[in-house]
């Protein structure tokens, strides 16, 4: 009878194991709250790397994990994994008599014995309704998802089972001989029965399976209460130990799965599949956010794309929470000082290697190496300091960082500067307001997930960030609250129930989707992530907060927090990204319409394209300098140089030498003064003239309009390029020395070879003297006032001072007429004579006024005399060439001006050669360098290329790029879904 019952039960069990009837396929996870669902979040979506589930009617779960138990050894026996032995009698008996039914029957019999034992223990157990929180809610709801009618219909009748049973009497002797062979199976059954007793004793999910089968019998039955407190504590500790045991098993499986995924990703990364890998979803989404962060539009385009905004009071542990989620110590650390000085956008994604890299850099930091971690922290700190403007403490500029690694949850987080209550010394006065404005700007995004970090070791009344979060999200529909430093809070807080009130959302004036408690280390900056994880696990294992049910298992550890935040982030992305794509599509249409109405005949060139166009124009204009003819260069150089040195030549060389009495003294004086001038001033003055001439020609080519093709939008850029290029250009210093030698040799030559040069020198001298005479006449007219014609025609008169100077002029002219060979200076007795003559007519004159008037009167007289002498020297070339000495016709001044004219021509030729061969090319090189520097400096381009047209084109480019990337992201999101 026992054999028949065992065999029937074995067949029933086998039918249940192979059949799928009675189990509703739809999982109840969709009905759970977000925080509860975070417990059941699958670590990896791909079924490729999951273990096959147990083929039983109900899966078993622990309260801390979502992974089914390992396959039992019973299944291994079932599937024929027992060792093969070469006994023909055993093989014959196994095939004919189905001996494995005996083993399974024994297991069922053991289960029946366990059920009897369970019924006895159940009567002795206290009422455990108060401890239902230990088991997740979905386990208690499994009864609703099991259809027992289908199970009953699927079971065979007893007569059918009896026909399948073998004749055990005939094989009794064979079974006795094989007793040793089947002893491992019996031992396995014993172990299963023992494990079943333990699960039933602890009230594990295995209890649910029996409750499900006996639902009608146990619905109205109540547990008896036992007042033995020690037994309850003992059972509770045993349950916690079991939960931690399964948690460690889960972590081990996760680690193995992570290694497998790492190998697969590495294989794809090396190109074994010979296919081009697409960008991950999170990388595509991060690119969109990077473009939006650089979007400087003036059209108020709203950015409502989701991201996780991390806010909290200063030193509340924001950075530590981010590091635990990223699984690396990547941020700079300080003790009580502000370390986060600008927003840091961290994009977490999965990859084969644990690395980090910046958006604008190709360098990868290996997060498994301490030296790379130190370099990364240092680089982040440098970027933060560089982003902060002078006179400020924090910056609004976002630093974009991407972190990849195996097992990381995909999401985008933005770490904001910590909220402060007091501005301390060394901070800018507006630091507090700036931090508040930055935080509000990120949190007012209706699709942003707010991760509110609160320090559990300080009094709740000192919190600032909770009020700010409650203002931005009063309903708490997108806020997740995180209580940090729970280990310190448990030690320092007198009333542990206060922590429970915080986690239940009853203490702070804010609402949230979920509440989490985490431990992010002991405060030592040198701790590794692994040590912090071990410390966190150890703390919650021994914490009274869990033992006394103040905290629930799914509300602790950063791992559960990371799962919940990632789940909430992607849910928000899926709900809002298409709406944002439509908003950018409408913005693009508006901008395109505005461009067509305002600039119908112009192409849409953004700032970079306009800069390239301007760059080509500038380089063409620089090349045009090389097309200037040598004649044009030399004419400009000679004319400009003579304008600079003519005053020195006339006043300091010619006039003093002309006062001498004979030609020998004249030539000696001229040679001495020319030598001094050449050694000290002339070469330097010539180089200055050449450099200024080059600048003027360069400016002329850069600024002159090009007709209809001229675009005034480039004027500011061209002016900046011209100024910067000229500033960087330095003339070759060796040119001045070589020029000095050339000029000295030119001035030493006195031999005029032909009449044409002689006439040219006379013409040059006449032009110079006439120009000086005209200037002198103008000065005298200003001194003495208008003559009688102007006074009668224009009805103007002389002033009192002009009348005095006019009378003085008349007296001085009489003095010159009396002595036409008068010296250039008045003697004192002559000054006295003039003054007394004027006093006799009632005019009081100062001696200084007499000398000043004499200088201009004598200068006019000398220039007129020199011009008359030039006219006489036109026929003097014959005497000069034959070296005749004629006291009445000495033309030494003509030779002087010929020497000056020849020096100017030779100097202009020399400077022209240096300009065309060297300086123009160096200037072109400087212009290219300046353009390259401007191209790399985006701020410079924004300043130099401004205007509504540029801004509109720039906005069009940005909006198109954002829309295209969003559409590609949405398509990839649908494909993944």
């Amino acid at each position: 009878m026992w054999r028949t019952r065992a065999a029937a039960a074995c067949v029933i069990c086998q039918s249940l194991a192979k059949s799928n009837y009675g189990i509703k396929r739809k999982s109840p996870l969709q009905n759970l709250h977000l925080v509860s669902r975070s417990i059941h979040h699958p670590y990896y979506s791909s079924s490729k790397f999951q273990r096959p589930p147990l083929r039983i009617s109900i899966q078993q779960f622990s309260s801390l994990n979502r992974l089914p138990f390992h396959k039992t050894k019973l299944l291994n026996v079932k599937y024929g994994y027992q060792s093969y032995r070469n006994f023909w009698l055993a093989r014959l008996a196994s095939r004919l008599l189905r001996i494995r039914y005996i083993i399974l029957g024994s297991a069922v019999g053991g289960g029946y014995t366990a059920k009897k034992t369970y019924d006895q223990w159940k009567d002795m157990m206290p009422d455990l309704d108060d401890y239902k929180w230990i088991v997740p809610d979905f386990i208690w709801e499994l009864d609703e998802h099991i259809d027992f009618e289908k199970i009953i219909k699927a079971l065979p009748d007893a007569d059918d089972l009896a026909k399948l049973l073998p004749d055990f009497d005939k094989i009794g002797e064979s079974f006795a001989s094989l007793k040793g062979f089947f002893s491992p199976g019996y031992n396995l059954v014993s172990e299963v029965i023992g494990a079943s007793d333990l699960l039933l004793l602890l009230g594990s999910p295995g209890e649910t399976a029996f409750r499900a089968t006996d639902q009608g019998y146990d619905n109205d039955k109540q547990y008896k209460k036992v007042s033995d407190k020690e037994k309850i504590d003992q059972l509770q500790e045993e349950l916690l130990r079991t939960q931690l045991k399964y948690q460690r098993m889960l972590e081990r499986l996760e680690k193995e799965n992570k290694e497998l995924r790492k190998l697969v990703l590495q294989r794809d990364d090396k190109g074994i599949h010979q296919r081009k890998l697409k960008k991950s979803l999170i990388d595509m989404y991060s690119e969109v956010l990077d473009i939006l962060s650089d979007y400087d539009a003036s059209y108020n385009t709203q950015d409502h794309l989701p991201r996780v905004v991390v806010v909290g009071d200063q030193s509340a542990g924001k950075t530590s929470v981010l590091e635990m989620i990223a699984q690396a110590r990547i941020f700079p650390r300080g003790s009580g000082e502000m370390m986060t000085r600008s927003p840091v956008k961290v994009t977490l994604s999965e990859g084969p290697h644990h690395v980090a890299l910046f958006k604008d850099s190709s360098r990868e930091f290996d997060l498994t190496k301490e030296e790379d971690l130190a370099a990364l922290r240092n680089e982040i700190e440098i970027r933060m300091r560089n982003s902060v403007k002078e006179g400020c403490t924090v910056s609004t500029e976002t630093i974009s960082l991407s972190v990849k690694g195996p097992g990381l949850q995909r999401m985008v987080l933005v770490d904001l500067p910590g909220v402060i209550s007091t501005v301390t010394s060394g901070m800018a006065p507006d630091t507090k307001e700036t931090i508040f404005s930055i935080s509000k700007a990120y949190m007012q995004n209706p699709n942003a997930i707010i991760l509110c970090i609160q320090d559990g070791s300080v009094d709740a009344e000192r919190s600032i960030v909770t009020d700010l979060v409650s203002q931005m999200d009063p309903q708490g529909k997108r806020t997740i609250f995180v209580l940090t430093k729970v280990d310190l809070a448990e030690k320092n807080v007198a009333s542990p129930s206060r922590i429970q009130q915080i986690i239940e959302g009853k203490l702070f004036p804010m609402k949230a989707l979920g509440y989490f408690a985490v431990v992010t280390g002991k405060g030592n900056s040198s701790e590794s992530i692994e040590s912090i994880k071990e410390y966190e696990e150890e703390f919650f294992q021994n914490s009274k907060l869990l033992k006394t049910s103040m905290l629930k298992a799914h509300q602790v550890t950063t791992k559960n927090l990371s799962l919940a935040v990632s789940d909430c982030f992607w849910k928000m992305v899926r709900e809002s990204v298409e709406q944002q794509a439509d908003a950018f599509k409408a913005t693009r249409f508006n901008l395109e319409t505005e461009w067509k109405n305002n600039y119908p005949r112009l192409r849409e060139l953004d700032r970079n394209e306009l800069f390239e166009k301007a760059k080509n124009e500038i380089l063409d204009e620089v090349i045009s300098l090389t097309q200037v003819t040598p004649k044009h260069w030399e004419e400009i150089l000679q004319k400009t140089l003579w304008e600079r040195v003519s005053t020195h030549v006339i006043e300091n060389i010619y006039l003093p030498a002309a006062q001498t009495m004979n030609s020998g003294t004249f030539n000696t004086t001229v040679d001495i003064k020319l030598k001094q001038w050449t050694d000290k001033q002339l070469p330097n003055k010539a180089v200055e003239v050449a450099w200024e001439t080059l600048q003027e020609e360069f400016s002329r080519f850069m600024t002159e309009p090009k007709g209809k093709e001229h675009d005034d939008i480039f004027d500011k850029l061209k002016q900046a390029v011209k100024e910067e290029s000229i500033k960087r250009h330095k003339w070759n210093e060796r040119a001045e020395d070589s020029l000095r030698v050339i000029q000295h040799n030119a001035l030493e030559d006195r031999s005029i070879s032909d009449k044409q040069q002689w006439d040219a020198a006379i013409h040059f001298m006449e032009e110079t003297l006439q120009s000086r005479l005209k200037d002198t006449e103008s000065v005298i007219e200003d001194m003495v006032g208008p003559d009688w014609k102007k006074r009668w025609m224009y009805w103007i008169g002389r002033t009192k001072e002009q009348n005095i100077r006019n009378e003085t002029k008349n007296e001085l002219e009489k003095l010159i007429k009396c002595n036409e060979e008068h010296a250039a200076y008045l003697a004192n007795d002559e000054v006295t004579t003039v003054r007394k003559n004027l006093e006799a007519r009632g005019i009081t004159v100062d001696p200084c006024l007499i000398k000043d008037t004499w200088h201009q009167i004598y200068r006019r007289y000398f220039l007129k005399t020199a011009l008359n002498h030039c006219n006489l020297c036109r026929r003097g070339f014959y005497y000069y060439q034959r070296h005749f000495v004629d006291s009445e016709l000495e033309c030494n001044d003509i030779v002087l001006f010929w020497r000056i004219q020849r020096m100017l021509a030779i100097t202009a030729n020399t400077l022209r050669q240096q300009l065309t061969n060297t300086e123009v090319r160096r200037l072109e090189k400087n212009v290219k360098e300046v353009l390259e520097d401007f191209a790399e400096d985006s701020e410079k381009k924004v300043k130099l290329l401004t205007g509504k047209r540029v801004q509109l084109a720039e906005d069009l480019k940005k909006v198109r790029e954002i829309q295209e990337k969003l559409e590609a992201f949405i398509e990839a999101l649908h494909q993944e879904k």
Side-chain angles (χ1 to χ4, degrees):
M1 186 65 184
W2 180 86
R3 294 177 180 175
T4 305
R5 185 180 302 172
C10 176
V11 174
I12 293 172
C13 184
Q14 183 179 12
S15 175
L16 285 176
K18 294 183 178 180
S19 177
N20 291 327
Y21 294 110
I23 303 296
K24 294 183 179 181
R25 288 289 184 179
K26 185 176 181 180
S27 173
L29 297 183
Q30 290 82 353
N31 300 327
L32 295 181
H33 191 269
L34 168 66
V35 177
S36 299
R37 193 163 72 248
S38 67
I39 305 175
H40 320 294
H41 188 285
Y43 286 92
Y44 303 101
S45 59
S46 177
S47 60
K48 182 178 179 180
F49 305 106
Q50 291 181 350
R51 294 178 179 270
L54 293 179
R55 298 181 61 87
I56 57 176
S57 61
I58 298 176
Q59 295 183 355
Q60 299 176 346
F61 291 82
S62 71
S63 59
L64 285 180
N65 63 72
R66 303 160 299 284
L67 197 66
F69 287 115
H70 289 289
K71 294 180 180 179
T72 61
K73 295 181 179 179
L74 183 59
L75 287 178
N76 294 337
V77 176
K78 173 182 177 294
Y79 287 108
Y81 292 158
Q82 63 268 27
S83 57
Y84 177 80
R85 297 192 180 184
N86 193 16
F87 295 106
W88 65 271
L89 185 60
R91 288 200 309 272
L92 181 62
S94 175
R95 293 177 181 176
L96 296 177
L97 303 179
R98 306 288 182 177
I99 300 177
R100 60 178 177 272
Y101 291 156
I102 300 175
I103 300 175
L104 294 176
S106 301
V108 175
Y112 180 77
T113 305
K115 183 178 183 306
K116 287 295 184 181
T117 307
Y118 160 71
D119 292 338
Q120 297 176 1
W121 274 90
K122 187 167 64 175
D123 296 336
M124 300 172 58
M125 287 289 291
D127 189 1
L128 299 178
D129 290 341
D130 296 335
Y131 301 94
K132 286 185 178 181
W133 60 269
I134 298 175
V135 181
D137 298 337
F138 78 95
I139 293 181
W140 300 110
E141 299 174 0
L142 286 177
D143 297 344
E144 302 175 2
H145 300 278
I146 298 177
D147 193 345
F148 290 99
E149 294 181 358
K150 291 184 178 180
I151 295 177
I152 295 173
K153 292 178 180 180
L155 295 177
D157 297 334
D159 296 337
D160 297 335
L161 292 175
K163 295 177 181 180
L164 300 174
L165 294 178
D167 190 353
F168 291 97
D169 295 334
K170 295 181 179 180
I171 61 172
E173 297 178 358
S174 300
F175 177 72
S177 63
L178 298 174
K179 181 178 181 180
F181 173 73
F182 294 109
S183 58
Y186 287 108
N187 295 335
L188 179 62
V189 172
S190 302
E191 292 180 4
V192 172
I193 294 173
S196 301
D197 291 341
L198 177 60
L199 292 174
L200 293 171
L201 179 64
L202 296 177
S204 66
E207 175 190 349
T208 309
F210 287 104
R211 258 192 328 114
T213 56
D214 298 335
Q215 182 179 9
Y217 178 76
D218 293 335
N219 277 340
D220 299 329
K221 190 173 183 178
Q222 301 293 332
Y223 294 110
K224 294 183 179 180
K225 297 184 179 179
V226 178
S227 60
D228 192 351
K229 188 176 181 179
E230 294 181 356
K231 290 185 178 181
I232 295 175
D233 294 341
Q234 183 179 2
L235 290 173
Q236 193 171 15
E237 291 179 1
E238 187 70 24
L239 179 60
L240 288 175
R241 282 195 297 271
T242 305
Q243 291 174 342
L244 293 174
K245 173 184 175 182
Y246 293 145
Q247 182 71 20
R248 283 191 289 270
M249 292 171 58
L250 176 62
E251 290 176 355
R252 188 182 71 251
L253 293 175
E254 287 178 354
K255 187 175 181 181
E256 294 175 358
N257 199 359
K258 185 187 297 184
E259 293 296 329
L260 291 174
R261 290 182 63 84
K262 181 177 180 180
L263 293 174
V264 173
L265 291 172
Q266 286 177 344
R267 184 180 61 181
D268 290 345
D269 193 40
K270 293 178 181 179
I272 293 180
H273 293 310
Q274 297 297 327
R275 61 184 178 88
K276 184 177 180 181
L277 296 177
K278 296 182 179 179
K279 288 184 179 179
S280 64
L281 272 179
I282 194 64
D283 290 335
M284 297 171 65
Y285 186 76
S286 180
E287 285 184 0
V288 176
L289 296 182
D290 288 336
I291 297 172
L292 283 171
S293 65
D294 298 334
Y295 185 36
D296 56 342
S298 59
Y299 296 93
N300 297 323
T301 302
Q302 297 295 324
D303 172 20
H304 290 164
L305 290 175
R307 72 260 285 162
V308 181
V309 180
V310 185
V311 295
D313 298 334
Q314 184 177 342
S315 302
K318 298 187 292 76
T319 301
S320 300
V321 172
L322 260 68
E323 288 180 337
M324 291 295 292
I325 295 176
Q327 299 182 16
R329 309 298 294 269
I330 58 178
F331 292 103
R333 312 190 67 82
S335 178
E337 59 178 328
M338 180 181 293
M339 298 305 298
T340 306
R341 297 182 178 271
S342 64
V344 181
K345 182 176 76 69
V346 182
T347 304
L348 300 181
S349 59
E350 194 173 21
H353 306 287
H354 202 188
V355 296
L357 65 158
F358 292 97
K359 177 189 70 173
D360 55 354
S361 175
S362 59
R363 178 186 176 184
E364 285 190 351
F365 297 88
D366 190 350
L367 301 183
T368 60
K369 299 179 180 179
E370 188 58 37
E371 56 270 18
D372 279 21
L373 279 172
L376 176 60
R377 291 191 289 265
N378 184 55
E379 180 67 19
I380 293 176
E381 187 174 1
I382 292 174
R383 287 174 178 256
M384 285 184 181
R385 290 178 179 175
N386 294 337
S387 65
V388 177
K389 298 180 180 179
E390 186 177 357
C392 301
T393 305
V394 293
S395 170
T396 58
E397 183 179 346
T398 303
I399 299 174
S400 182
L401 179 67
S402 177
V403 178
K404 298 182 180 181
L408 294 182
Q409 298 298 321
R410 303 177 301 169
M411 67 184 92
V412 177
L413 304 103
V414 182
D415 185 20
L416 300 180
V419 180
I420 60 175
S421 59
T422 305
V423 178
T424 59
S425 61
M427 292 185 178
D430 61 343
T431 301
K432 180 180 177 181
E433 290 74 15
T434 304
I435 294 176
F436 268 85
S437 63
I438 294 174
S439 302
K440 288 181 179 179
Y442 277 91
M443 287 191 294
Q444 69 184 2
N445 178 2
N447 297 321
I449 308 298
I450 303 175
L451 194 62
C452 180
I453 309 298
Q454 174 61 37
D455 189 350
S457 63
V458 300
D459 296 334
E461 292 75 13
R462 294 169 56 185
S463 176
I464 307 172
V465 71
T466 51
D467 293 334
L468 183 61
V469 172
S470 63
Q471 295 175 10
M472 296 293 102
D473 184 24
Q475 302 300 324
K477 294 182 179 181
R478 52 191 181 89
T479 302
I480 296 177
F481 182 86
V482 182
L483 186 67
T484 61
K485 305 178 184 179
V486 183
D487 52 343
L488 299 179
E490 187 180 27
K491 296 178 182 178
N492 301 333
V493 177
S495 176
S497 61
R498 193 172 179 86
I499 300 177
Q500 184 180 7
Q501 290 178 346
I502 295 175
I503 297 301
E504 292 177 353
K506 298 179 181 178
L507 187 61
F508 288 110
M510 59 170 289
K511 299 179 181 179
L513 280 174
Y515 297 83
F516 287 87
V518 299
V519 175
T520 56
K522 302 178 182 179
N524 185 5
S525 60
S526 61
E527 289 180 293
S528 65
I529 296 297
E530 295 298 328
S531 62
I532 295 175
K533 285 183 179 180
E534 293 176 359
Y535 174 71
E536 184 182 38
E537 178 183 343
E538 182 182 357
F539 167 76
F540 285 115
Q541 179 181 353
N542 302 320
S543 174
K544 295 181 181 179
L545 299 174
L546 271 179
K547 291 182 178 180
T548 57
S549 71
M550 292 186 181
L551 295 178
K552 295 181 174 60
H554 63 268
Q555 290 181 310
V556 298
T557 70
T558 52
K559 181 179 294 185
N560 289 335
L561 169 65
S562 177
L563 293 170
V565 173
S566 177
D567 188 22
C568 190
F569 168 75
W570 284 105
K571 179 182 178 182
M572 188 69 76
V573 168
R574 291 185 176 93
E575 291 176 353
S576 61
V577 68
E578 293 187 0
Q579 181 181 359
Q580 293 303 308
D582 293 338
F584 280 107
K585 185 176 182 180
T587 303
R588 174 180 176 177
F589 176 78
N590 295 336
L591 294 176
E592 288 177 345
T593 304
E594 184 176 359
W595 181 274
K596 291 178 182 178
N597 294 332
N598 294 328
Y599 312 104
R601 298 182 179 180
L602 295 177
R603 289 192 303 122
E604 299 172 7
L605 300 179
D606 60 16
R607 186 172 283 113
N608 292 331
E609 292 170 337
L610 286 172
F611 182 83
E612 289 298 323
K613 183 179 179 181
K615 177 181 177 181
N616 294 331
E617 287 189 11
I618 293 172
L619 292 177
D620 291 342
E621 290 162 357
V622 174
I623 294 175
S624 299
L625 282 174
T626 61
Q627 306 301 322
V628 178
T629 61
K631 182 180 179 181
H632 180 74
W633 278 119
E634 292 181 9
E635 287 178 355
I636 296 176
L637 290 170
Q638 188 171 348
K639 180 182 177 181
T640 308
L641 181 59
W642 175 240
E643 290 175 355
R644 292 293 182 87
V645 302
S646 60
T647 302
H648 180 83
V649 171
I650 298 299
E651 302 296 335
N652 298 330
I653 299 176
Y654 174 60
L655 290 178
Q659 305 303 317
T660 58
M661 301 303 295
N662 54 61
S663 62
T665 308
F666 178 88
N667 292 331
T668 302
T669 305
V670 168
D671 291 342
I672 293 173
K673 290 186 176 296
L674 287 177
K675 181 69 167 61
Q676 294 174 351
W677 182 44
T678 306
D679 292 340
K680 295 180 180 179
Q681 300 178 10
L682 183 57
N684 186 26
K685 189 68 67 175
V687 170
E688 289 180 2
V689 168
W691 175 221
E692 292 176 4
T693 303
L694 178 61
Q695 294 182 41
E696 291 174 359
E697 290 297 305
F698 179 53
S699 301
R700 181 173 64 86
F701 280 107
M702 292 281 286
T703 57
E704 67 179 4
K706 305 297 188 298
K708 295 182 179 180
E709 298 179 357
H710 177 70
D711 196 344
D712 57 357
I713 202 171
F714 300 143
D715 292 346
K716 189 182 291 186
L717 175 61
K718 290 182 178 180
Q719 183 67 20
V721 171
K722 183 193 73 173
E723 293 176 355
E724 185 65 23
S725 301
I726 292 174
K727 182 180 178 181
R728 295 186 183 185
H729 187 81
K730 292 183 180 180
W731 200 273
N732 190 1
E733 297 179 354
R734 298 179 180 179
E736 188 172 329
D737 297 333
S738 61
L739 186 61
R740 181 180 291 108
V741 176
I742 294 173
Q743 291 172 341
H744 181 73
N745 294 333
L747 291 173
E748 285 290 329
D749 189 7
R750 296 186 182 90
S751 59
I752 304 176
S753 59
D754 53 21
K755 184 67 166 59
Q756 185 179 0
Q757 294 182 7
W758 181 269
D759 292 339
I762 292 175
H763 180 70
F764 175 59
M765 181 177 176
E766 284 180 344
E767 285 185 348
T768 304
L769 295 180
Q770 287 175 358
S771 175
R772 295 293 168 177
L773 179 60
K774 185 177 180 180
D775 294 339
T776 304
E777 292 283 1
S778 177
V779 172
I780 292 174
E781 184 178 356
D782 293 338
M783 290 172 62
V784 301
D787 56 7
W788 65 272
K789 291 182 180 180
K790 290 184 179 179
R791 291 199 304 271
W792 279 98
M793 292 181 64
Y794 301 106
W795 291 85
I796 55 176
R798 292 171 175 166
T799 63
K800 183 179 179 180
E801 184 180 357
Q802 287 176 341
N803 286 325
I804 294 173
R805 284 188 178 273
N806 184 53
E807 295 296 332
T808 305
K809 177 183 76 80
N810 294 334
E811 287 292 327
L812 293 173
E813 286 178 348
K814 294 177 182 178
L815 186 62
I816 291 176
K817 288 180 181 179
C818 295
N819 185 11
E820 293 183 354
E821 296 182 359
H822 197 288
Y825 301 98
L826 284 175
N828 291 333
D829 56 347
E830 290 175 332
V831 174
T832 303
T833 301
V834 173
R835 181 172 60 83
K836 287 190 178 292
N837 291 339
L838 292 174
E839 287 178 354
R841 294 201 301 267
I843 300 173
T844 304
V845 182
D846 185 71
C848 293
L849 187 143
I850 296 173
K851 293 181 179 180
D852 187 28
T853 306
W854 166 256
H855 177 71
Q856 298 300 330
I857 297 300
Y858 182 82
R859 183 184 181 86
R860 182 178 64 178
Y861 168 75
F862 175 80
L863 292 174
K864 289 181 177 179
T865 304
L867 284 172
N868 293 330
H869 184 68
C870 282
N871 192 25
L872 293 175
C873 286
R874 290 183 184 277
R875 56 185 177 86
F877 178 70
Y878 176 78
Y879 297 95
Y880 166 78
Q881 195 175 25
R882 297 294 187 270
H883 301 287
F884 289 166
V885 177
D886 188 350
S887 61
E888 295 181 358
L889 191 60
E890 293 180 355
C891 298
N892 295 313
D893 49 357
I894 303 298
V895 177
L896 170 62
F897 276 91
W898 178 82
R899 294 165 69 183
I900 298 295
Q901 187 182 33
R902 185 168 181 272
M903 181 274 299
L904 292 175
I906 293 176
T907 302
N909 181 268
T910 304
L911 292 175
R912 188 267 306 167
Q913 293 180 10
Q914 185 175 359
L915 282 172
T916 56
N917 296 336
T918 305
E919 301 304 330
V920 171
R921 299 184 184 278
R922 294 178 62 228
L923 180 62
E924 181 181 357
K925 182 179 179 182
N926 290 336
V927 171
K928 290 181 179 179
E929 292 177 354
V930 171
L931 288 172
E932 290 176 359
D933 294 342
F934 284 2
E936 295 176 358
D937 191 348
S938 58
E939 294 182 0
K940 201 79 171 178
K941 288 194 290 187
V942 171
K943 290 181 181 179
L944 298 177
L945 292 174
T946 57
K948 182 180 178 181
R949 170 184 153 197
V950 181
Q951 192 65 61
L952 185 57
E954 194 73 14
D955 293 335
L956 265 172
K957 176 189 175 183
K958 291 287 186 182
V959 170
R960 286 193 183 112
E961 188 177 5
I962 293 170
Q963 182 190 357
E964 291 172 359
K965 289 188 177 294
L966 273 178
E967 290 176 353
F969 171 75
I970 293 172
E971 183 179 357
L973 189 66
H974 289 330
Q975 290 178 357
E976 186 185 64
K977 185 177 180 180

